Amino acid sequence: MHKDGATPAPMKWWGWGEESVSFTHEGKPELAPFIERHLKLDVRRPGTPPLAFEALEISAPVLSAPLRARLEDAVGAGHVSSDDQDRVVHGRGKSLTDLVRQRRGDLSRLPDVVVRPGAEDEVVAVMEAALAADAVVIPFGGGSSISGSLEPEAGESRPVISVDMVRMNRVLGIDATSQLARVQTGVFGPDLERQLNAQGWTCGHFPDSFTYSTLGGWIATRSSGMQSDRYGDVAELTRGLRVVTPSGVLVVRPVPSTSTGPSVREMVLGSEGRLGIVTEATIHIRRVPAERKILGYLFPAWADGLAAMRDIAAGETEPSVTRVSDSYETAFSFATRTDPTPLDRVKSRALQAFLKRKGWDLEAMCLSFIGYEGSEGEVAMQRKQTERITKRHGGLCIGSSPGALYDQKKFDTPYIRDFLLDRGAPADVSETSAPWGELQTVYDNVMAAGYGAFDELGVPGYLMCHLSHSYHAGACLYFTFALNPPAGRDALEDYGVVKRAIQQAFVDSGATLSHHHAVGTEHAQWLEEDISAPGVAMLRALFEGTDPGANLNPGKIVATGRDREPGETVPRGESSRTNGGTGEPRRSLDARRASRPRS
Ligand code: FAD
């Protein structure tokens, strides 16, 4: 824990979460054979740890004495740090590319100083000091960015200030009548829930990175949590805002809806620090539900699961979670089961025999989780109505233990990336959203592109998917992939081939470049294909108009001002593969039908 006792200690500089926590295959008897079968990787062998911190070459900070003095005046000397560990931890987020480069000791441009303001007037003073010195300001929440939203630009010659919001972590007030809470944005997920729960409320936002991400980061990336079906994404949860910008404090009133021209609230959502530092938000809250249940279901095949989720979204019930995995992810989930008891074995054999008798192909079957919340009566009613739909699509309820296990383990899953990287295998995620009518096509195109990329590289790989976050018009598809490049190959290059193939298949299929992981630098090359050239021009005008000196997290989302070459539409170094700049989907893909494994 951090010194204040309410926030987690900073994450390890080379990986996810706490030093003392790690993922292991031990106690999961089917996992090592599964990974060996699909990735040709023996995870029973000990891994290679990253470099020792002492072996890193850390450049000296570029920070003039007058700027340091002004920052110390702004926040207090004890909250200004140029400590090596602080600078390294604040230099990047936790994307796969970030993790690999950290492990290799390739640190690139580090922030020169980390400041930790304790109140909005201190943030204003930091902003004024930074602008007066023509310094770069990068807001920092939990550092869990997965799209390259935190790293200073390579070769940045101006001083770089990382503004860590950790001290601004309080719920300032609750308006029970309006079901709104005013909250400082440096609060981490668990601390926010702790403060709200103490008064009988919840925000209901639970991203997988919940433990290590903050309200400000969620707002700046348009985050989405596992219970978004009921509570909404952060874009819906956030009503009012206070943002320290170069021209003063921007205030968005917490009204339910407004007709004041293009929405300034929406401009701040997803702005990744390019418009200012969000200091406070007024967010929706709801009463902590009396009952909360996540049940497991099986569907005969992916198409059945998709159709069931679509019909649930179109119906009157409001489950908190609707999620279905494809057969590849289902096989992976089953492989991560812990040592079964003799009774579990009997039950599992009986279930398999039953499904076979019903004519199911067990390799095609798909695991689903559906969550219900409310009073006991509401949960029973939601369940009854939802199960009418699941049954219509061949679904079978398998009870509460798989859902309870998923709920309990979900925040531990991110540690698996470090476990695989210790053994040289990159693993990552890419997510998108599309209308219900397009989801199967998007899925097929992405699977063909991903497995095609493994084939092209000649490396063993595994790609799997689930649907989560359902809306009236469509849903999110969340892909997870891993590959095992042979020794001597650059794992990051091979990883890049697969990641680009998947992302390209998203935009070519008419889906978005990201449903909730944001643009940063890692997804910027697909922005024009997603939102069209005039869309990019509007964003650029917004950023340049708000921040004429390009002091606020430059180079993220779109390149602006001094970080752009004439005629360039995406940050330097990224190749733009515009689809004629129209933003229209390219329907026919030359995706190779690749040799996908049977799970
Ligand atoms: P940071 O990473 O610190 O910053 C992200 C961006 O926001 C940066 O551009 C930063 O400058 C800006 N920023 C941060 N605070 C402020 C502020 N106060 N004012 C202005 N700008 C600010 N995302 C999801 O939505 N759902 C998930 O389920 C999910 N799961 C994840 C699982 C893993 C393992 C990982 C590594 C990431 C996951 N993410 C997920 C992505 C990430 O957690 C989100 O993008 C999150 O919203 C980032 O919050 P943060 O506080 O860590 O922000």
Side-chain angles (χ1 to χ4, degrees):
M1 294 292 272
H2 200 264
K3 273 192 235 108
D4 65 10
T7 47
M11 284 196 265
K12 43 179 95 122
W13 64 270
W14 53 268
W16 183 254
E18 285 176 48
E19 289 283 351
S20 57
V21 183
S22 57
F23 183 88
T24 173
H25 65 92
E26 279 160 28
K28 304 178 190 85
E30 295 165 47
L31 185 59
F34 182 92
I35 294 177
E36 191 151 25
R37 193 159 62 248
H38 293 291
L39 292 184
K40 312 280 174 269
L41 180 70
D42 181 3
V43 292
R44 283 164 287 224
R45 278 183 316 175
T48 312
L51 286 181
F53 187 79
E54 298 66 41
L56 295 177
E57 278 180 32
I58 298 173
S59 56
V62 182
L63 189 67
S64 68
L67 176 56
R68 186 175 185 105
R70 266 195 85 167
L71 294 173
E72 289 183 355
D73 279 351
V75 300
H79 303 299
V80 176
S81 162
S82 286
D83 168 73
D84 282 351
Q85 183 102 19
D86 246 352
R87 290 176 59 220
V88 170
V89 167
H90 287 78
R92 281 184 182 136
K94 299 294 176 192
S95 76
L96 191 278
T97 308
D98 293 335
L99 299 187
V100 172
R101 289 182 301 158
Q102 295 288 94
R103 283 167 166 264
R104 290 176 177 174
D106 165 11
L107 297 181
S108 192
R109 174 71 166 93
L110 293 175
D112 300 299
V113 61
V114 178
V115 300
R116 296 181 170 89
E120 186 178 274
D121 57 350
E122 295 186 7
V123 178
V124 171
V126 168
M127 181 69 81
E128 285 170 356
L131 295 179
D134 192 19
V136 166
V137 171
I138 305 183
F140 190 94
S144 70
S145 159
I146 200 165
S147 54
S149 311
L150 286 168
E151 184 171 338
E153 290 194 289
E156 177 59 73
S157 55
R158 299 172 291 174
V160 177
I161 306 169
S162 175
V163 182
D164 186 329
M165 300 297 285
V166 66
R167 290 173 62 217
M168 296 182 62
N169 59 8
R170 283 185 308 122
V171 172
L172 299 171
I174 288 180
D175 172 353
T177 310
S178 314
Q179 302 186 89
L180 292 171
R182 272 178 59 221
V183 186
Q184 291 181 312
T185 55
V187 69
F188 280 77
D191 191 20
L192 172 62
E193 282 299 311
R194 184 184 60 78
Q195 295 183 54
L196 292 176
N197 291 173
Q199 301 188 52
W201 298 96
T202 178
C203 160
H205 185 70
F206 299 105
D208 292 355
S209 55
F210 177 70
T211 329
Y212 290 101
S213 57
T214 63
L215 175 60
W218 301 339
I219 291 169
T221 57
R222 298 188 72 107
S223 163
S224 190
M226 66 171 279
Q227 291 172 211
S228 68
D229 288 11
R230 177 178 169 86
Y231 293 92
D233 299 327
V234 145
E236 290 157 73
L237 286 170
T238 306
R239 296 261 63 88
L241 288 163
R242 292 184 65 87
V243 189
V244 173
T245 76
S247 50
V249 179
L250 163 73
V251 182
V252 175
R253 295 178 173 187
V255 292
S257 187
T258 175
S259 178
T260 45
S263 167
V264 174
R265 185 184 73 91
E266 285 273 347
M267 290 176 200
V268 174
L269 287 159
S271 57
E272 299 186 35
R274 294 219 59 163
L275 297 177
I277 302 177
V278 186
T279 53
E280 191 184 305
T282 306
I283 55 170
H284 288 181
I285 49 173
R286 293 201 189 199
R287 284 288 174 197
V288 175
E291 189 159 320
R292 184 165 177 274
K293 210 174 223 164
I294 300 184
L295 295 182
Y297 295 81
L298 290 174
F299 286 96
W302 175 238
D304 302 310
L306 282 191
M309 299 304 127
R310 180 202 60 214
D311 287 357
I312 293 169
E316 296 300 316
T317 39
E318 202 190 36
S320 55
V321 181
T322 47
R323 175 183 166 120
V324 59
S325 297
D326 69 357
S327 59
Y328 300 91
E329 195 172 279
T330 300
F332 173 74
S333 298
F334 287 152
T336 58
R337 277 181 301 207
T338 44
D339 265 331
T341 62
L343 182 62
D344 290 337
R345 272 188 237 278
V346 172
K347 278 193 197 156
S348 162
R349 271 201 294 269
L351 178 64
Q352 288 185 18
F354 171 73
L355 294 175
K356 275 190 189 150
R357 277 201 305 280
K358 275 171 72 92
W360 285 34
D361 170 0
L362 298 190
E363 292 203 331
M365 118 187 136
C366 293
L367 178 64
S368 164
F369 295 116
I370 302 180
Y372 308 100
E373 284 186 12
S375 66
E376 207 181 317
E378 284 163 347
V379 166
M381 177 61 77
Q382 287 171 30
R383 185 175 168 190
K384 195 166 146 202
Q385 290 176 346
T386 305
E387 289 188 355
R388 256 189 232 134
I389 299 173
T390 54
K391 279 199 187 112
R392 218 170 46 229
H393 295 283
L396 181 77
C397 182
I398 52 171
S400 57
S401 18
L405 195 66
Y406 157 73
D407 201 23
Q408 181 196 327
K409 292 279 167 206
K410 61 187 183 287
F411 301 137
D412 296 341
T413 316
Y415 288 92
I416 198 171
R417 285 193 305 170
D418 296 323
F419 170 78
L420 288 171
L421 273 182
D422 281 349
R423 289 151 183 88
D428 200 17
V429 295
S430 269
E431 34 68 63
T432 187
S433 77
W436 287 110
E438 304 294 327
L439 285 177
Q440 183 67 53
T441 310
V442 174
Y443 174 82
D444 290 342
N445 287 343
V446 173
M447 293 306 273
Y451 277 100
F454 297 143
D455 278 0
E456 181 185 314
L457 290 166
V459 300
Y462 198 73
L463 171 62
M464 58 193 187
C465 175
H466 67 253
L467 175 150
S468 52
H469 313 290
S470 293
Y471 304 86
H472 175 77
C476 163
L477 289 182
Y478 189 103
F479 294 85
T480 304
F481 61 96
L483 60 153
N484 181 18
R489 286 262 285 268
D490 185 338
L492 207 46
E493 272 180 25
D494 284 359
Y495 154 81
V497 170
V498 181
K499 170 84 179 169
R500 283 193 296 276
I502 292 172
Q503 290 288 146
Q504 193 61 45
F506 288 166
V507 290
D508 284 347
S509 311
T512 184
L513 61 81
S514 170
H515 168 260
H516 58 259
H517 285 163
V519 185
T521 49
E522 296 196 21
H523 297 147
Q525 75 183 91
W526 292 282
L527 188 65
E528 190 171 306
E529 287 178 85
D530 190 326
I531 66 169
S532 80
V536 174
M538 275 186 204
L539 287 184
R540 175 171 304 111
L542 173 64
F543 296 151
E544 286 180 350
T546 309
D547 174 31
N551 298 95
L552 302 182
N553 207 3
K556 312 304 173 334
I557 310 177
V558 290
T560 56
R562 65 174 96 185
D563 53 29
R564 178 162 49 102
E565 301 285 7
E568 187 186 24
T569 57
V570 295
R572 240 177 272 159
E574 306 282 5
S575 68
S576 171
R577 298 179 59 184
T578 65
N579 189 12
T582 62
E584 294 295 320
R586 254 197 302 251
R587 301 297 313 161
S588 64
L589 272 182
D590 90 356
R592 293 136 299 228
R593 280 280 140 201
S595 48
R596 289 195 228 160
R598 289 288 280 165
S599 44

